[in-house]
Amino acid sequence: MGFRYLYILLLCLFSQGFLRGVHGGFACNWGTRATHPLPPDIVVRLLKDNGFTKVKLFEADPGALEALGDSGIQVMLGIPNEFLAPLASTVTIAETWVAQNVSKYMSKYGVDIRYVAVGNEPFLTSYKDAFLNTTFPALQNIQAALIKAGLGRQVKVTVPLNADVYQTDSGLPSGGNFRSDIHSLLLSMMKFLSDNGGALTINIYPFLSLQADPDFPKEYAFFDKGAKPVVDGSISYTNVLDANFDTCIAALEKNGFSSLPVIVGEIGWPTDGDPNANIENAKRFNQGLVRRILAGQGSPKRSTPPDIYIFGLIDEDAKSVLPGNFERHWGVFNYDGSLKYSLDIGKGKALVPAKGVQYLARRWCIMSPSASTSDPNLVQSIDYACTYADCTSLGYGSSCGMLDPRSNASYAFNMYYQTMDQRKDACNFSSLSITTSVDPSPPSNGQNRTCQFKIMIDLSKHQKAKRPPSSVAAGLNEHSSQKFVMALLVLVLVSTLII
Ligand SMILES: *[C@@H]1O[C@H](CO)[C@@H](O)[C@H](O)[C@H]1NC(C)=O
Ligand SMILES: *[C@@H]1O[C@H](CO)[C@@H](O)[C@H](O)[C@H]1NC(C)=O
Ligand SMILES: *[C@@H]1O[C@H](CO)[C@@H](O)[C@H](O)[C@H]1NC(C)=O
Ligand SMILES: *[C@@H]1O[C@H](CO)[C@@H](O)[C@H](O)[C@H]1NC(C)=O
Ligand SMILES: *[C@@H]1O[C@H](CO)[C@@H](O)[C@H](O)[C@H]1NC(C)=O
């Protein structure tokens, strides 16, 4: 009996999920809509350092996938809605997609892809049925393509749906059912997911509930049991997550899918861009969430804890602000992987920031002291800067919303200057601006909303420092050494049995 056989046996055990769940770990969304994305290898290190064992990507970003290779982190790989129509049209397109975006990364880089998430909230009412005809056929074609690629057992399909696909007439979770306009479509999809060992993924946003309804009982958004319970039969609900999740479970039970696995695909709280979006609320929400995850707590209707993907890992300064300015501030970490607030992540550990981030020079662009705030070019210059750079922290109730007009202009000029990589001509607002090496950030006034004048990540330095491709194979990491230790254990076991 050779080592090779043992090794293969072990690989099988691992791929079957043997030993899975022993350490649990956290899951999160890694979005990459940023002008200066944090380099993927730094993100992967950040994930590992903070106990994240699962990550969800919104698209098959090559840099992210390569960096996740051999990391031991399980991946849910998303497919953007724009891809649904072509994927629905023929199974060959789905086969190409799977070959190029799934099989390749699994076999060549050792990426542990567990789920393909087909579409992203495709039935959102604001999309006006645009993806109604293509989501299910795309799901079927991707499933067929995965089977054809020999990945049917390893990689499962799911569809991330916005929580507005189910409703409750009674106002209580037990009254949950699927939205009437897409009821039969959803049932066909649930049956398909069920038949193929897939899962339903739902996104739940207590922050948006609070946002949408000023009368919403705020305490109910959090987990510290401060809210007046909503009594539903024998169950008392004290937070939106449980109530919302169980409304979905009720909808599934009512339609014969009581054992379909449900994943929470997005949940979180933003820190800026809205009066309710601040460090205090975000910390309170995420700490409560993390405690539940650590405790392995399920919902009243389903005691098995679901996988919960926190949204999101880092801020994204190029996301659309259509839903609101808070859209660019969902990160548990800042855009550069630095800490926004501390969280207790269990076993006495706290969050740790990203390591090895390279920044541009300590230089800022500000409004020139000799320029006047009544200069006729000022408003237009600020508008220009804020069209190309992220000024969402300047709004009402946001971290830089209290600045005087001069600092307000400086903030806008600096964001533009940093976004343009501190180019010389990027601090040239018709003689209204100058550069400075003195940090213009206003002093923290003891409140939790401190306005920070950023310095951007230096992408060119990271580009130069990029590791040679050969280091991928050389990356003997924790995961491989774990397998090795297991191999030894089994060897000892087997030899004991033989002798
Ligand atoms: C995935 O595969 C398709 C080929 O079907 C390719 O066109 C696409 O660029 C790939 N990458 C992403 C990010 O989807
Ligand atoms: C979906 O299909 C229906 C019925 O065939 C059709 O009326 C509708 O226009 C289609 N929707 C889209 C967005 O293509
Ligand atoms: C800061 O600039 C923005 C963008 O021009 C503007 O909307 C806002 O009113 C300004 N605030 C102050 C206090 O000048
Ligand atoms: C600043 O702008 C003016 C005119 O818009 C231009 O003549 C000048 O060269 C620019 N300066 C730099 C440093 O780009
Ligand atoms: C800042 O946050 C802490 C807890 O995170 C809270 O106790 C304190 O009241 C907050 N201060 C302000 C001014 O919001």
Side-chain angles (χ1 to χ4, degrees), residues 204-206 209 216-217 220-223 238-245:
I204 297 177
Y205 278 112
S209 309
F216 181 87
Y220 203 54
F222 300 95
F223 303 105
T238 54
N239 69 75
V240 189
L241 172 58
D242 279 337
N244 197 313
F245 188 85

Side-chain angles (χ1 to χ4, degrees), residues 140-311:
Q140 290 168 304
N141 285 345
I142 289 289
Q143 175 66 52
L146 286 170
I147 290 171
K148 189 152 179 211
L151 298 171
R153 285 177 64 87
Q154 269 165 284
V155 185
K156 301 300 181 189
V157 285
T158 186
V159 181
L161 297 177
N162 180 276
D164 79 350
V165 300
Y166 46 86
Q167 299 166 330
T168 162
D169 290 335
S170 64
L172 295 172
S174 58
N177 206 339
F178 293 114
R179 218 165 79 198
S180 55
D181 62 319
I182 49 174
H183 198 268
S184 66
L185 172 63
L186 285 172
L187 292 200
S188 310
M189 287 174 62
M190 295 311 121
K191 172 150 196 341
F192 186 82
L193 290 173
S194 208
D195 290 348
N196 289 282
L200 169 62
T201 296
I202 52 171
N203 297 341
I204 297 177
Y205 278 112
F207 170 79
L208 297 179
S209 309
L210 183 58
Q211 202 68 8
D213 178 5
D215 295 329
F216 181 87
K218 188 175 170 188
E219 294 302 300
Y220 203 54
F222 300 95
F223 303 105
D224 14 54
K225 303 199 164 70
K228 189 167 167 277
V230 171
V231 178
D232 186 4
S234 60
I235 304 172
S236 284
Y237 288 97
T238 54
N239 69 75
V240 189
L241 172 58
D242 279 337
N244 197 313
F245 188 85
D246 277 2
T247 307
C248 176
I249 299 300
L252 288 171
E253 283 174 352
K254 213 160 282 170
N255 294 288
F257 301 103
S258 49
S259 54
L260 183 67
V262 178
I263 295 168
V264 177
E266 294 182 21
I267 185 165
W269 201 283
T271 49
D272 207 352
D274 185 88
N276 280 322
N278 55 49
I279 300 274
E280 205 181 344
N281 284 347
K283 180 177 166 146
R284 182 177 169 202
F285 183 84
N286 282 330
Q287 185 65 74
L289 188 64
V290 161
R291 253 184 227 123
R292 284 175 65 106
I293 295 169
L294 287 169
Q297 193 182 329
S299 76
K301 268 186 177 293
R302 207 176 253 196
S303 56
T304 324
D307 280 350
I308 295 180
Y309 289 77
I310 296 172
F311 190 89

